[in-house]
Every structure is written in C-alpha cells, then in structure tokens.
Amino acid sequence: MRYCINCCIHLLPNDLHRQCFRCRGPNHNNQKCPVCKGENKIPLYTDSKQMKLLAVLEVRTDHSESWNGFFCLRKGKLCSLIFGLIIMTLVMASYILTGAKHGLLLIPSPFHYGAFTSNPSLMDNESLSDMKDHYQPSKMNISYVKDYPSIKLIIDTITSKIEFITRQRPDLEELRKQEPHMFSVIPNKFLPNSKNPCWYEEYRGNTTTDPYATNSYALYSKRFRTIFDYLRKVFWNHLYHYKDKHYRLRCLPHFYIIGQPKCGTTDLYDRLRLHPDVRFSAIKEPHWWTRKRFGIIRLRDGFHDRYPVEDYLDLFDLAAHQIQGVLQSEAAKEHGKMNNIIIGEASASTMWDNNAWIFFYDNSTEGEPPFLIQDFIHASQPNAKLIIMLRDPVERLYSDYLYFASANKSAEDFHEKVAESLQLFENCMLDYSLRACVYNNTLNNAMPVRLQVGLYVVYLLDWLTVFDKDQILVLRLEDHASNVKYTMHMVFQFLDLAPLSEKQEALITKSPASNTRRPEDRSLGPMLPTTKAILRDFYRPFNTKLAQVLFDDAFLWKRT
C-alpha cells in the first residue's frame, strides 16, 4: 500500500497520483502541464473502492516547497507533538507552583496574611522522647535566611510592647453570679477525715434509675461508654444508707496537672497513677474547666449543650468508691483512720485555654477576660495543688506542629507558619495589651501555630494572683527526661505521698516513656536553624521573666 509523500493520499497498487506533479516523474514540467498551468488551485480526485468513498480535496499551491513537508506530516506525529507540548506545560506549571514551597526556587517566600484554618485538633498530648532525639543539621535554604531581618523587626516591635501587669482578682460574689449551679453543688467544706476533697450528696433516684443516663461524656464519646457501663453495675453497692435516705460520695481532684501540652504531662500522668495512693479521673483529660463547661467539644464545631458539674464529678466515681471503702472500714470507724487516697486530673489545657470567655462574659475590660479558669477552681477548692510541666518553648512549638499538622509537614512549612503567626501577634500587640492578645480567641484560632502556649510566664503570673506559690510545682521536661527518679521524688514530696518500696519505685521510674514522637514525624528532622533563631528571639523576654519569677536560670533554656 503506497501513499503520496507530498499529499498523503492513499494510492492503489501500481498507480500514480496523477494530479500531483511530483508523482508524474522527474520530467514533469509544472508550467507546461495543462492541468497545472495558470492554476492557483488544483482539484485532486481519488477513488478508493476499498473505502467506497469519493473524496474531493482542494489543495492550495505553495511556491515555498519547504512548507510542503510541514503540512504533510502524518497525523500520528502531529498528535504526539501536541501531546508532548501539553505534558511539558503541565510539568513547568507544577514546578513553578510548588518549587518555592519545597525550596526549589531560590526566592524568598512571601508572608501570607489571609484567612487561616484553625488548629486541626484541640486535644493536647505531649511527648517525652523528643528530648532524646538527635538529628543531623538541616541544609540551610537561602530564601529563609533572607526572611530573618524582616521577621526580626516584627519581634522587636512585639518586645517593645511587652508589659507584665498584675490583673485584678475578681470577687467571690461575682464568680458565683457566673456559675450559680456549680457553686450550689460544690459545698464550702469537705469531709475532715479525707485528705482528698469529698462530701456526701443525697441521691433521690431509685433502683430503676440510670444515674449516668444524661452524662454528656458518655453520650458524646463511645470511648467512655464501657467505663460508665461498669459504674452502672456497681453504683447501688456504693450508696451510703442513713435514716431511710441514700447518699453518694462525691469528690473533686486534690491536685491538677494543668500544663503544658507537648511538655511531658502524659508521661507524668502515667507514672504517677502507679502510686498506690493516687487515683485519676476516668479519662485523662476531661477539659471540663476550659471547654466542656461551656459546651465546647471542638471550638471550630460550634457549641453543644454545656456539661453540668455533675457530669464532671461522675468521672471521679471510681476513685470515690475506693475512698468510701477506706472511710467505712472498721479501722476508720474505731480509730478515726484518715483517708490518704488522693485524686488527680490531667487536662493539659487548664493552664492556658481561656478561649471561651468572649462568648460568655461581658467584654468590658479592653479585651482582657474578666474571669479566668483559675478564679473558679480557687473559689471552689482554695487548697488545690497544681503541677506544671514545661519545656523549651521553641522545641515545644515544633513538637506541637508535628503532632497537630495533618499534611504537607516540613521544616519549610513550619517556618512559614511561624512567620505568619508572628505577624498576626504583632498586629494584635499594636492595639491591645499582652494579656488581651494571649487570651484572644480570634487571634489564637487564626495563628497557624500556637505561639501563645509557650508564653508560660503570662499564664503563671495569672495563676499566682489566686494561688500561693507553695501550691504550685513547676518542673522542666528536660530534667524529667534526664532523671525521672529525681522529678518523681519532687512530685511525691509536693503531694505529701507515703514513701514507696524499692520495687514500687522501680516500677514507676523505670517504665518506658509515654506518648513518644511518631516515627513518621522523626523522619522530618529538626526545624530550620533560621526558624530556631527567630523563635529564640521571640521567647527570650518571656523566658527571662519566668526565670526571675521562679528564681531558676534553668528556665532560660540557654543550653538547649
């Protein structure tokens, strides 16, 4: 089967394309040919019996023979050329769009100050093994080095606006007006023969009544339903009967592990719960004081029904049953034995999260919350003890980012998010006080990373306005990671716990670290050196003040 090389017309065997002068042979003269002479258009006819199709083609003459080859390309080659051009265009577009983000383009990444998404999760978890991870130094990217001078100006502006002003402590009556139901349930005094704050409350239900039917923790979370199923089975066995009435023992925590997230509170919780005289709430982090009390499960999901204080107290029923067993023992009745079992609660949001205040309290204090979480805890439990675990705020922020970021995690992405957050924080500081910005719900949800959580001294000073200094124990994760036994002894002494046997102590101090960094996060390596320098500058004045308050230069974190 043959084709005309110039017109791509299918020719029959032993046939020539007579209308094409190139098919007539070398002796054909285009000027003398009666068909071609004086014609600008040459009609071509071909009759293919195989296709049963009469095609009439009109071909324009072209005096430039070099163009004939181009227009006579085979259809397959032409399609391949077009397809190749499309692929090349897509590849170049992808490179341009993603090159800057991944450090392929040597141009500075601009700040992005648009609408930011809120943090993917508000549940706070921590890591201990981060302190033992060692990585190779990351390769410096020139685009991020260029960011430093402009970001340093932002930090200088923030530093110039810092003022640590003591807040006014609200009156008890003002607090009672805000939470009348809570104060009607929690009594002013607790049982004198119990180290833990407990009291008896009359139970008006009957044997067919489900005491946990309306508990919000059980209704909204499948994880806790097994716990409440067990509590239902044993509930009536632990009621106290007196003068034809039924009473249940209610308890609040004796101590709180209040923060901070990603600072090792999970590890401290797991070790402390192994002590024979320590019990915890049915779930590690109820987040009642900071979130559930206001009906917040996740702030981005809006508000649900507010969890009443009874739902919170239900979480301590397992521990209350054990305390009741001690109080009703023969030794207690005959010799006045004291209950030494204490209950703890470990919501890592308690120290810092006051985001809900703007939705419930009058904003008449120039952006500062009129009431804080610690005001209500102190009003209901003035003798409560508080444990705070902190770490280098620079490393804490990176660990926080690795834990909560859901996709596209990288040192470069973290750098950009830090730059965005600093710009937003500066904008707030230009118009409001430090406290107003730290507790600003809109700002906190807009910042891509939680810079404010590392401003430890701001929160600590506010807690010290209501609690005495000897009621607060502040630890460093770096010390805990290097010497677990030492820090646990400090905690035992602070809580006035009974001494342990060598076997019990070994069980607590030699168990593996809890909530370590995920393997996929370890592979990302450390933050960029430029990012670390930026964050060091930002947190330095706050760390300096913290070291002054605690009289301990270790909280400067100069060696980390």
Side-chain angles (χ1 to χ4, degrees), residues 47 76 149 181 188 202 237 254 266 290 340 382 423 457 474 527:
D47 186 3
H181 177 69
N188 296 326
E202 184 179 355
N237 297 333
H254 173 70
T266 296
T290 55
N340 289 317
Q423 178 68 67
V457 70
V474 183
M527 71 184 82

Side-chain angles (χ1 to χ4, degrees), residues 300-534:
R300 67 176 182 269
D301 296 334
F303 292 90
H304 298 259
D305 293 336
R306 300 180 69 172
Y307 289 28
V309 66
E310 290 88 348
D311 291 0
Y312 180 59
L313 297 175
D314 286 346
L315 301 179
F316 306 106
D317 277 2
L318 282 173
H321 294 167
Q322 298 181 46
I323 292 175
Q324 185 177 356
V326 174
L327 295 176
Q328 294 183 353
S329 65
E330 293 298 326
K333 293 178 180 179
E334 296 179 5
H335 306 288
K337 181 181 178 181
M338 183 79 172
N339 163 60
N340 289 317
I341 294 177
I342 59 174
I343 304 174
E345 199 254 71
S347 298
S349 65
T350 306
M351 180 177 181
W352 63 274
D353 191 352
N354 281 274
N355 286 330
W357 78 267
I358 193 66
F359 301 104
F360 293 91
Y361 305 141
D362 179 32
N363 185 9
S364 59
T365 54
E366 298 183 352
E368 296 188 11
F371 310 105
L372 296 176
I373 301 304
Q374 52 265 40
D375 299 330
F376 295 96
I377 294 179
H378 182 268
S380 58
Q381 298 176 254
N383 297 320
K385 292 195 172 185
L386 312 168
I387 301 176
I388 302 172
M389 182 80 86
L390 305 178
R391 72 186 291 189
D392 181 354
V394 176
E395 298 298 335
R396 192 219 70 81
L397 186 65
Y398 190 52
S399 179
D400 197 64
Y401 162 79
L402 293 178
Y403 187 87
F404 288 116
S406 57
N408 301 321
K409 290 185 286 189
S410 67
E412 293 78 11
D413 181 66
F414 177 66
H415 178 91
E416 293 182 1
K417 285 179 167 54
V418 167
E420 294 170 5
S421 300
L422 285 170
Q423 178 68 67
L424 289 169
F425 198 82
E426 180 203 26
N427 292 340
C428 181
M429 289 288 288
L430 291 174
D431 298 321
Y432 297 96
S433 68
L434 174 61
R435 183 178 291 108
C437 293
V438 168
Y439 295 123
N440 187 304
N441 171 69
T442 304
L443 172 64
N444 292 342
N445 285 317
M447 288 193 296
V449 290
R450 301 192 296 183
L451 281 175
Q452 80 282 7
V453 178
L455 306 181
Y456 307 140
V457 70
V458 178
Y459 304 111
L460 180 60
L461 289 173
D462 284 347
W463 280 84
L464 287 172
T465 61
V466 291
F467 284 95
D468 293 335
K469 200 169 184 178
D470 59 3
Q471 291 179 261
I472 303 176
L473 174 65
V474 183
L475 304 171
R476 294 194 329 144
L477 176 59
E478 292 82 359
D479 300 329
H480 182 64
S482 62
N483 194 339
V484 173
K485 186 175 182 179
Y486 173 75
T487 56
M488 294 310 299
H489 279 183
M490 291 182 64
V491 173
F492 297 157
Q493 184 178 2
F494 175 70
L495 297 177
D496 194 23
L497 294 171
L500 299 172
S501 65
E502 291 185 5
K503 184 177 180 180
Q504 290 173 322
E505 185 174 293
L507 177 64
I508 293 174
T509 59
K510 294 183 180 181
S511 58
S514 300
N515 201 17
T516 58
R517 180 176 288 183
R518 295 171 294 204
E520 60 270 25
D521 292 339
R522 296 187 186 192
S523 64
L524 295 175
M527 71 184 82
L528 298 174
T530 302
T531 315
K532 178 175 286 190
I534 289 169

Side-chain angles (χ1 to χ4, degrees), residues 240-259:
Y240 177 63
H241 307 281
Y242 180 73
K243 293 185 177 179
D244 298 327
K245 291 184 179 181
H246 302 292
Y247 296 89
R248 64 188 296 188
L249 188 68
R250 288 294 207 177
C251 297
L252 280 167
H254 173 70
F255 70 95
Y256 295 84
I257 301 175
I258 64 175

Side-chain angles (χ1 to χ4, degrees), residues 202-220:
E202 184 179 355
Y203 180 72
R204 294 182 174 84
N206 53 46
T207 55
T208 61
T209 303
D210 180 0
Y212 306 106
T214 61
N215 187 287
S216 299
Y217 286 99
L219 293 175
Y220 287 112

Side-chain angles (χ1 to χ4, degrees), residues 2 11-20 22-25:
R2 300 184 300 115
L11 301 179
L12 296 176
N14 301 320
D15 191 11
L16 291 175
H17 181 189
R18 300 299 179 184
Q19 287 77 12
C20 179
R22 288 182 179 272
C23 297
R24 292 175 178 269

Side-chain angles (χ1 to χ4, degrees), residues 132-322:
K132 298 180 180 179
D133 293 338
H134 299 280
Y135 301 101
Q136 295 298 323
S138 63
K139 185 178 180 180
M140 180 68 73
N141 187 308
I142 188 171
S143 64
Y144 297 105
V145 174
K146 292 179 179 179
D147 285 347
Y148 182 79
S150 58
I151 299 178
K152 185 64 168 63
L153 292 176
I154 294 174
I155 296 173
D156 291 342
T157 301
I158 294 173
T159 302
S160 67
K161 298 290 184 179
I162 295 175
E163 288 185 278
F164 299 103
I165 301 175
T166 304
R167 67 183 288 263
Q168 291 295 110
R169 179 174 169 177
D171 295 331
L172 179 59
E173 290 304 317
E174 294 177 346
L175 296 172
R176 291 184 180 274
K177 290 178 182 178
Q178 299 299 325
E179 293 284 354
H181 177 69
M182 183 187 79
F183 286 105
S184 69
V185 173
I186 300 176
N188 296 326
K189 295 182 179 181
F190 304 114
L191 294 177
N193 57 342
S194 175
K195 183 178 178 180
N196 196 85
C198 297
W199 68 97
Y200 281 105
E201 174 186 278
E202 184 179 355
Y203 180 72
R204 294 182 174 84
N206 53 46
T207 55
T208 61
T209 303
D210 180 0
Y212 306 106
T214 61
N215 187 287
S216 299
Y217 286 99
L219 293 175
Y220 287 112
S221 178
K222 295 180 180 179
R223 292 187 302 156
F224 309 141
R225 291 177 185 173
T226 302
I227 298 173
F228 285 104
D229 286 341
Y230 172 77
L231 288 172
R232 290 186 184 94
K233 295 177 181 178
V234 301
F235 180 79
W236 279 93
N237 297 333
H238 294 280
L239 288 180
Y240 177 63
H241 307 281
Y242 180 73
K243 293 185 177 179
D244 298 327
K245 291 184 179 181
H246 302 292
Y247 296 89
R248 64 188 296 188
L249 188 68
R250 288 294 207 177
C251 297
L252 280 167
H254 173 70
F255 70 95
Y256 295 84
I257 301 175
I258 64 175
Q260 290 286 60
K262 308 311 298 173
C263 289
T265 60
T266 296
D267 187 76
L268 178 61
Y269 161 84
D270 284 337
R271 296 181 191 280
L272 196 49
R273 66 196 300 217
L274 297 176
H275 194 286
D277 290 339
V278 175
R279 304 292 184 273
F280 275 92
S281 52
I283 56 177
K284 175 186 177 279
E285 296 187 275
H287 297 292
W288 185 79
W289 291 100
T290 55
R291 300 168 188 169
K292 304 301 191 294
R293 182 165 60 101
F294 302 102
I296 298 173
I297 296 178
R298 289 182 177 87
L299 193 58
R300 67 176 182 269
D301 296 334
F303 292 90
H304 298 259
D305 293 336
R306 300 180 69 172
Y307 289 28
V309 66
E310 290 88 348
D311 291 0
Y312 180 59
L313 297 175
D314 286 346
L315 301 179
F316 306 106
D317 277 2
L318 282 173
H321 294 167
Q322 298 181 46

